[in-house]
């Protein structure tokens, strides 16, 4: 039977934004949001390999060069793993703002990997798909962290252990957990936000961080909100990155004052996330953060109030 009789011609996939680090879990914790998200369409095309890349919704800023585009790099990783010489055309529809700290490049990469795998009937497992997505992340931020790609792929609150292969562990979350996110009208490049961290940390910061990371896992497993609140604290990255986000300390304090359980930078920022109990608390925290960003830094914010997205990436269309 010919290829076209067996396999689809086009696959469209949605992959959600994510908040990562969650205070104590630099590069190892991330949680998927219900929205926003990126969509990637991968079509069968004449030729071999990636024959075209187009991007919409990005204001013309995302590179269309396959060697620099996160989705294309992930698709290329899938072709490579499947040892496929098929030709594919890629269309990226950006829904996640650029340089926002909401895992936009990871979502594009995840959606690309899942779409290419479905198009080619490859049936790669989740770990293989994650590794393909991480190729795009490596190019974008200069480090192959998977704390955005993992939750965007599998959904929920994810602990991702670094190394080859990476290991994803989905952690339970309390039923009433809601996330409030304020995305201010400013940008932080992850690459730069990683460079300012340097390569070493004081031992005391390490002790605090691994204690809090262990405590966060215990808090999630037991549904202990007090433990979660105490442990969502970053001794490593946030203290150095706060300088990149004008108004950050005031915004974080405003979320707590409005009733959030804990708050901190989302990934490398500038978005700030707050963990809350229930939708009303999350809406209050989101509004307070927007007001604080306006008062402290003179910028407006887009707001997201979301549950943990338990599903992760999903295939929207196969034709
Ligand atoms: N863990 C990464 C970082 C996330 O903090 O650099 C980037 O969004």
């Amino acid at each position: 039977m010919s290829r076209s009789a067996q396999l689809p011609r086009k696959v469209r996939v949605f992959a959600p934004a994510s908040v990562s680090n969650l205070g104590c879990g630099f590069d190892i914790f991330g949680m998927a949001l219900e929205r926003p998200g990126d969509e990637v369409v991968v079509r069968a095309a004449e030729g071999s390999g990636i024959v075209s890349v187009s991007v919409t919704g990005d204001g013309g800023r995302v590179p269309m060069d396959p060697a620099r585009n996160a989705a294309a790099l992930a698709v290329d990783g899938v072709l490579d793993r499947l040892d496929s010489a098929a030709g594919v055309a890629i269309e990226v529809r950006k829904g996640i703002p650029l340089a926002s700290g909401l895992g936009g490049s990871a979502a594009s990469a995840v959606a690309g990997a899942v779409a290419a795998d479905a198009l080619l009937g490859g049936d790669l497992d989740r770990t293989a798909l994650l590794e393909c997505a991480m190729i795009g992340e490596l190019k974008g931020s200069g480090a192959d962290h998977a704390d955005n790609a993992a939750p965007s792929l599998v959904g929920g609150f994810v602990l991702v252990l670094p190394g080859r292969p990476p290991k994803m562990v989905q952690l339970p979350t309390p039923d009433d957990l809601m996330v409030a996110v304020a995305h201010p009208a400013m940008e932080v490049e992850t690459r730069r936000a990683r460079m300012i961290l340097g390569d070493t940390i004081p031992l005391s910061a390490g002790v605090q961080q691994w204690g809090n990371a262990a405590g966060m896992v215990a808090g999630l497993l037991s549904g202990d909100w007090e433990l979660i609140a105490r442990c969502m604290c970053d001794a490593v990255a946030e203290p150095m990155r706060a300088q990149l986000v004008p108004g950050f300390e005031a915004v974080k304090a405003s979320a707590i004052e409005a009733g959030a359980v804990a708050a901190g930078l989302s990934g490398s920022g500038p978005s700030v996330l707050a963990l809350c109990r229930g939708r009303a608390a999350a809406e209050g925290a989101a509004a307070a953060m927007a007001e604080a960003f306006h008062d402290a830094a003179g910028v407006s914010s887009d707001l997201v109030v979301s549950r943990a997205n338990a599903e992760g990436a999903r295939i929207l269309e196969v034709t």
Side-chain angles (χ1 to χ4, degrees), residues 258-281:
V261 171
L265 279 181
S266 173
S268 55
S271 293
V272 179
L273 82 110
L275 294 188
C276 303
R277 299 191 67 172
R279 184 170 290 276

Side-chain angles (χ1 to χ4, degrees), residues 281-309:
E283 281 169 357
M289 290 193 288
E291 194 178 327
F293 260 129
H294 180 268
D295 293 349
V299 293
S300 61
S301 302
D302 289 329
L303 302 177
V304 177
V305 170
S306 171
R307 289 183 184 286
N309 172 345

Side-chain angles (χ1 to χ4, degrees), residues 58-63 98-99 187 189:
D58 65 323
R61 295 176 55 203
V62 172
L98 307 188
E187 295 187 352
E189 292 294 340

Side-chain angles (χ1 to χ4, degrees), residues 20-21 26-27 145 147-148 190 194 241 267-268:
S20 58
N21 295 346
F26 180 74
D27 279 2
H145 59 93
D147 52 337
N148 289 112
T190 299
R194 295 184 77 86
R241 287 173 165 176
S268 55

